[in-house]
Amino acid sequence: MALMSPLWGPAWLGMEWGSRGSHGCPLPRSKAEAEAIEKELLEDYRFGRQQLIEIWGHACAMAVTKAFPLPSLPRKQPTVLVVCGPAQNGAIGLVCARHLRIFDYEPTIFYPKRSLDPLYRDFTTQCEKMDIPFLSYLPTEVQLINDAYNAVVDAVLGAEAELGEGRGPCAAILATLKHVRIPIVSLDVPSGWDVEAGSSGGISPDVLVSLMAPKQCARRFLGRQHFVAGRFVPYDVQKKFELNPPEYPGTECVVALRAPQ
């Protein structure tokens, strides 16, 4: 559960965002704008969907390592629960879990509604081949989750989700995640949130990782840290869509943002 500090909270770090015209202040994007940027990358720049999901999943894993470095974890075992939905955000979660395993974390995946998409099945196979365990069910007794893991990665619903999906098959998952007391890291859009309006009874993450650029709902984020993963976006795309990206230090692929002062 997120620490409900005052809006934008004292723990925000990194670059300011949300102010038009100043370098390093990414402007929140609507669902339509995010789809247009992704379409440009896929069709004009010939990025492959597998390539984008791999880039995003790796960046999300990097954000987890920054928010929760191994030495800082409260439990002896560096366990992380990754909860994946059936669509693209779930595939990003699978890639995130694989990279967390490479980074010496111990991820466990809950992926109840597996996609039949061959690409997503490949990501699943990669995790299985790396001996990442998959849960057959998500405990409804949240204390079992609190006791077993250091954090939860929310990859259930993303920007592609339609309003109301959180009331469908994913409702039981979201109901459980709302009550866990260990930190939640949401990928791109917290599950159950409207991409533009924000929370409508969804979860309250401690960490948000925005992909390409923050979505409009990020204005309603009250958690501890907000990262953006958009360094890979070509300069001409940044310019065309006025992404106004933050400055990424060194060779970093993600950067922490802070709220406007």
Side-chain angles (χ1 to χ4, degrees):
M1 181 178 295
L3 302 175
M4 299 302 286
S5 54
L7 186 61
W8 304 117
W12 282 73
L13 301 170
M15 310 295 176
E16 292 185 6
W17 69 289
S19 302
R20 180 175 295 277
S22 55
H23 181 71
C25 303
L27 300 171
R29 298 291 153 174
S30 68
K31 182 175 182 178
E33 288 173 320
E35 289 173 347
I37 297 168
E38 186 171 337
K39 184 173 184 288
E40 180 104 358
L41 293 173
L42 290 169
E43 296 184 1
D44 292 359
Y45 282 79
R46 309 307 297 169
F47 277 77
R49 184 161 299 278
Q50 180 176 8
Q51 182 182 12
L52 287 180
I53 292 173
E54 183 70 28
I55 290 171
W56 286 328
H58 171 262
C60 289
M62 290 299 300
V64 172
T65 69
K66 292 179 181 300
F68 306 105
L70 286 171
S72 74
L73 297 179
R75 288 169 180 77
K76 183 177 180 180
Q77 301 300 319
T79 52
V80 178
L81 176 61
V82 183
V83 185
C84 299
Q88 180 168 286
N89 218 43
I92 295 169
L94 293 172
V95 175
C96 176
R98 172 161 48 83
H99 283 286
L100 286 175
R101 182 70 188 89
I102 293 169
F103 298 151
D104 293 329
Y105 290 75
E106 296 182 9
T108 295
I109 298 170
F110 180 56
Y111 188 26
K113 188 178 179 182
R114 299 194 181 192
S115 172
L116 297 179
D117 186 313
L119 174 59
Y120 298 176
R121 292 171 67 179
D122 288 347
F123 288 134
T124 304
T125 298
Q126 291 162 13
C127 291
E128 291 172 338
K129 290 290 188 182
M130 293 183 67
D131 295 324
I132 299 174
F134 283 74
L135 293 180
S136 58
Y137 68 94
L138 186 68
T140 55
E141 187 176 342
V142 296
Q143 192 57 45
L144 294 176
I145 299 174
N146 294 337
D147 291 343
Y149 303 101
N150 293 279
V152 176
V153 173
D154 159 35
V156 183
L157 301 172
E160 76 274 14
E162 296 296 330
L163 183 62
E165 282 191 40
R167 296 191 291 272
C170 295
I173 297 174
L174 298 188
T176 298
L177 294 184
K178 286 179 189 178
H179 292 97
V180 300
R181 300 202 63 83
I182 56 176
I184 295 177
V185 181
S186 286
L187 308 188
D188 206 25
V189 174
S191 293
W193 286 35
D194 178 77
V195 178
E196 295 171 3
S199 179
S200 57
I203 64 174
S204 299
D206 295 81
V207 178
L208 177 62
V209 186
S210 293
L211 306 179
M212 294 192 297
K215 310 309 179 285
Q216 288 184 355
C217 64
R219 293 185 183 276
R220 313 294 292 180
F221 173 62
L222 300 177
R224 185 165 62 88
Q225 284 183 289
H226 182 187
F227 295 90
V228 65
R231 187 167 194 169
F232 74 96
V233 178
Y235 174 76
D236 286 347
V237 177
Q238 297 176 14
K239 186 176 179 180
K240 177 179 178 178
F241 290 94
E242 298 182 330
L243 294 185
N244 202 26
E247 294 183 14
Y248 291 83
T251 57
E252 298 286 357
C253 62
V254 296
V255 66
L257 304 178
R258 69 170 182 261
Q261 301 298 311

